[in-house]
Amino acid sequence: MQISPNKDTQLCMSLSGRPGNFGLRFHNHLYEQLGLNFYYKAFTSQDLPGAVGGIRALGIRGCGVSMPFKEACIALVDELDPSAAAIQSINTIVNTNGHLKAYNTDYIAVAQLLQTHAVPKDSTFALRGSGGMAKAVASALRDGGYRKGLIVARNETAGRALAESLGYEWQAELGDLRPQMLVNVTPIGMTGGPEADQLAFAPEAIAAAETVFDVVAIPPETPLIVRARAEGKRVITGLEVIAIQALEQFVLYTGVRPSLEQFEKAVAFARS
């Protein structure tokens, strides 16, 4: 049941360096299907303090936060949920009467996917990346019992800090190592970026791996995922991550949890 926008319509939004349509289509589809008086819009901004201040001042109910704002937003909110405080990275802001509380539903999504894809906990892994999303993924791996990990990051300061905080090793490049799981948490392979057509890991490393996990959601099938599928690997995609984290955001914003069927239809609509 579609509700026409009116003065009582509650607004939700997203902030991203490269806005996409998935969240907009996913949330608005569910609002319509469930008869909720909400509307969702995607934004980017060169003035992050101004954008977050606008959420508070204009009474915007919720905001999804994507790269590169996941850490920079922390200083601009009033409270961190334990899901965000533990890893010092946020992806969701909920505004309750001017009080901004931040969460991290990326962590929840990654933890769920590791379980549903039955990735063996004794798998060795290499995670490429050191930013806010990398913190969420690496923390979910650590908390999920994955102990044999390597952080691969060209930024030595950030890479070492992330590795040491979670009990992992750090290297600037993967080199000759051949871990059982490869995890990409960088923009490599992302549509519109300078490395859109590149692989996040060398072909030899992909061939030797058992599981390949790419958090990049645009395109749904990155060069890394296409290569891994062709070689018969277990794959986890960024589309799966973005769908689950969006569902958890939807619940935080509205207080309503859609059925599995409604969720699956929203994902299909958002992809179309």
Side-chain angles (χ1 to χ4, degrees), residues 30 45 52 59-60 97 118 120 135 156 158-159 166 176 179 224 245 248 265 270 272:
L30 283 175
S45 178
V52 177
I60 293 170
N97 299 321
K135 287 182 180 179
E156 180 174 356
L166 297 172
D176 295 330
L224 176 60
Q245 67 83 23
E248 298 303 324
K265 286 183 177 179
S272 63

Side-chain angles (χ1 to χ4, degrees), residues 44-271:
T44 189
S45 178
Q46 301 298 316
D47 179 7
L48 187 60
V52 177
I55 295 170
R56 190 194 310 273
L58 297 175
I60 293 170
R61 171 58 177 165
C63 178
V65 180
S66 298
M67 294 187 293
F69 305 127
K70 291 173 180 283
E71 295 166 294
C73 276
I74 290 175
L76 304 173
V77 301
D78 302 309
E79 182 183 357
L80 295 181
D81 180 77
S83 63
I87 57 180
Q88 288 296 295
S89 174
I90 72 176
N91 81 323
T92 305
I93 299 172
V94 177
N95 179 7
T96 304
N97 299 321
H99 180 85
L100 304 185
K101 184 173 181 179
Y103 300 77
N104 196 306
T105 65
D106 290 328
Y107 174 97
I108 296 169
V110 172
Q112 286 186 23
L113 288 168
L114 291 168
Q115 289 186 336
T116 57
H117 284 273
V119 180
K121 293 184 184 296
D122 60 356
S123 298
T124 58
F125 74 85
L127 182 151
R128 184 165 187 176
S130 60
M133 184 64 176
K135 287 182 180 179
V137 176
S139 296
L141 284 161
R142 189 271 315 273
D143 295 347
Y146 298 85
R147 304 300 181 196
K148 305 170 186 176
L150 172 70
I151 303 300
V152 178
R154 295 171 187 169
N155 184 324
E156 180 174 356
T157 300
R160 280 190 182 277
L162 176 58
E164 291 174 1
S165 70
L166 297 172
Y168 296 135
E169 301 295 321
W170 165 84
Q171 288 184 187
E173 298 292 345
L174 183 61
D176 295 330
L177 294 178
R178 297 293 178 260
Q180 293 163 302
M181 176 163 54
L182 301 174
V183 187
N184 177 47
V185 199
T186 75
I188 297 173
M190 181 181 292
T191 298
E195 301 169 295
D197 60 349
Q198 296 185 24
L199 292 170
F201 294 96
E204 298 80 11
I206 299 169
E210 298 172 3
T211 304
V212 175
F213 184 177
D214 195 343
V215 304
V216 173
I218 305 171
E221 298 279 314
T222 63
L224 176 60
I225 291 296
V226 171
R227 183 70 175 248
R229 283 198 195 280
E231 299 201 14
K233 308 302 179 181
R234 176 194 290 112
V235 300
I236 305 174
T237 70
L239 178 64
E240 294 175 272
V241 176
I242 198 173
I244 295 173
Q245 67 83 23
L247 171 65
E248 298 303 324
Q249 287 178 331
F250 182 91
V251 176
L252 287 170
Y253 300 156
T254 67
V256 176
R257 181 169 292 277
S259 68
L260 178 60
E261 180 182 5
Q262 290 167 333
F263 166 66
E264 291 175 343
K265 286 183 177 179
V267 172
F269 177 80
R271 290 190 64 184

